[in-house]
Amino acid sequence: MVERSDRAPLLDWEEVPSAEKPGGTSPTKDRLSSPSNSRALGCSAPGFGWSSEPGGPIASRSVSNADGCSAPPATSGNMLEWCLPKDMDLEGVEFKAIASGSHRVSTDFIYFRKGCYFGLACFANMAVESTVERGARMKSVGILSPSYTLLYRYMSFLEHQVRLQLQSPGHYSPLEAFYEDKRALLPPSGDGVVTVLPANVWSAAINHSMHPEMKITHPAGCMSQFIRFFGEQIMVLWKLALLRRRILIFSPPPVGVVCYRVYCCCCLANISIPGVGVAVPEFRPFFYVNVADISALENELSYVACTTEKIFEEKKDLYDVYVDNQNVKTYRDGLKPLLRLSTADREKYRKLTEQRQMLLYSQEENGDCVSSEEDLFILFFLEQNNRIFQTLSEVAGSPDPTVTQESVRAMGLDPHGDRLFLLHLLEIYGYDTLLVSEQLCCS
């Protein structure tokens, strides 16, 4: 198999009841698949189990019937039942594809990371008249890919398949056909992480096709909903994202809309000036995480993720910033001043709101269908970030490399209220050789 092939595993999860049915046992590991260097596109049939017991999911083994269907194991918990191809290590993915607390919702979708891959799983919960299944059948159908920007194309298929699997568990032929049909169609490129794009990709004209890799599937107005949800606090998140801080967003299920917030946070930190940011930690979207991801997060210098597990709030060493609803907080004394809005923050938010209103007016009066709020917001923060680093580069190349009040204003920042933010920025992006004018004092 060629490196980064277009093969993609089809995965299936279900709620596993506590009663045991007849059937031969085979370790869950034997039912996983796809080479580590291949693209994983997966569909799920019955296979991931989710435990509604307090304390989170309980690991369990898959039990297979003679027809290849997975029967419930003796222990309640999440389990992977079926997947294609057969040679990929998917250990732990069963706890990512069904979020903790999902028994409270009827449908959901979850973006997540598994090693170097990104996954999308669609979840559904159906009431059944069965004491063995405790009155409810829960399943997820999921896929994996090296790039999360492509996963949205299969959202409707996954939603349809999870409903079919709820009604007719163990019928995998549509999933197998989908895999054989699509595995060679996924582009082999894309690292799945929001990164810097070449400057020539962006122009003053806003166009959907100009930044395809910056997009993810989202309902219309995803970014605008994100900004309306946080209001002026979006400027706080913008600074923290630009500083490459570890940001963890908590919310009870459904988790799909919270995964969109993870994506939106990544968009706040885009820079398109060549060479800027190459030495800083990569701002990596982890999307949904649970307690099984703790060891992975411990080694991350910069990330943004979301969770439904409240226990994470107590793990203060895992994150720099904790977002609960619209409440943005930190336990790092050095970051607490950054949670206060500066005069420049409020001015930028006002301008952003005005631009949005102008766009909406243009759409309504002139029938403008080319521009969108998504493009407007992404471009707004991209231009703001470029403005900061363009000014810093000019100061660094001048005979007097001193950051003055005038240069700070040229960046669109507040010389007083944004002083600490600027000092963090200079250090993180390697501009710490610049001198800072004594006129830049704390407010």
Side-chain angles (χ1 to χ4, degrees), residues 66-145:
D67 62 359
C69 299
S70 171
T75 304
S76 178
N78 293 19
M79 60 175 287
L80 174 65
E81 178 179 334
W82 182 91
C83 66
L84 280 177
K86 301 283 186 179
D87 51 1
M88 184 176 185
D89 178 13
L90 297 177
E91 182 180 359
V93 76
E94 64 270 30
F95 300 121
K96 297 175 180 289
I98 297 182
S100 296
S102 291
H103 63 288
R104 300 185 183 96
V105 299
S106 58
T107 60
D108 199 2
F109 62 92
I110 305 101
Y111 279 90
F112 59 91
R113 284 192 59 175
K114 168 58 180 171
C116 60
Y117 295 100
F118 291 88
L120 169 62
C122 287
F123 167 84
N125 181 356
M126 182 179 75
V128 293
E129 295 182 1
S130 170
T131 56
V132 173
E133 295 179 273
R134 292 172 290 179
R137 182 178 298 157
M138 299 176 232
K139 296 178 182 288
S140 272
V141 177
I143 65 176
L144 294 174
S145 171

Side-chain angles (χ1 to χ4, degrees), residues 126-187:
M126 182 179 75
V128 293
E129 295 182 1
S130 170
T131 56
V132 173
E133 295 179 273
R134 292 172 290 179
R137 182 178 298 157
M138 299 176 232
K139 296 178 182 288
S140 272
V141 177
I143 65 176
L144 294 174
S145 171
S147 172
Y148 65 78
T149 60
L150 302 175
L151 293 175
Y152 74 94
R153 299 180 181 180
Y154 309 102
M155 174 85 79
S156 60
F157 172 80
L158 298 177
E159 290 174 335
H160 179 65
Q161 286 301 311
V162 74
R163 289 193 295 268
L164 290 180
Q165 291 298 326
L166 282 175
Q167 296 165 3
S168 303
H171 292 79
Y172 307 132
S173 54
L175 305 181
E176 293 169 346
F178 175 82
Y179 171 72
E180 293 299 330
D181 181 54
K182 300 295 185 184
R183 65 176 180 172
L185 298 182
L186 294 177

Side-chain angles (χ1 to χ4, degrees), residues 345-388:
D345 290 333
R346 291 190 167 90
E347 177 62 18
K348 281 192 284 289
Y349 184 75
R350 184 189 63 79
K351 289 181 179 179
L352 178 60
T353 303
E354 287 181 354
Q355 289 184 23
R356 175 177 175 270
Q357 293 299 328
M358 290 175 62
L359 174 62
L360 295 177
Y361 178 81
S362 176
Q363 290 175 336
E364 182 176 351
E365 295 295 321
N366 305 322
D368 181 5
C369 299
V370 177
S371 303
S372 74
E373 290 185 69
E374 309 304 305
D375 299 305
L376 170 67
F377 290 133
I378 290 175
L379 192 58
F380 179 89
F381 287 101
L382 176 79
E383 291 178 339
Q384 173 60 52
N385 297 341
N386 286 351
R387 180 180 176 185
I388 290 175

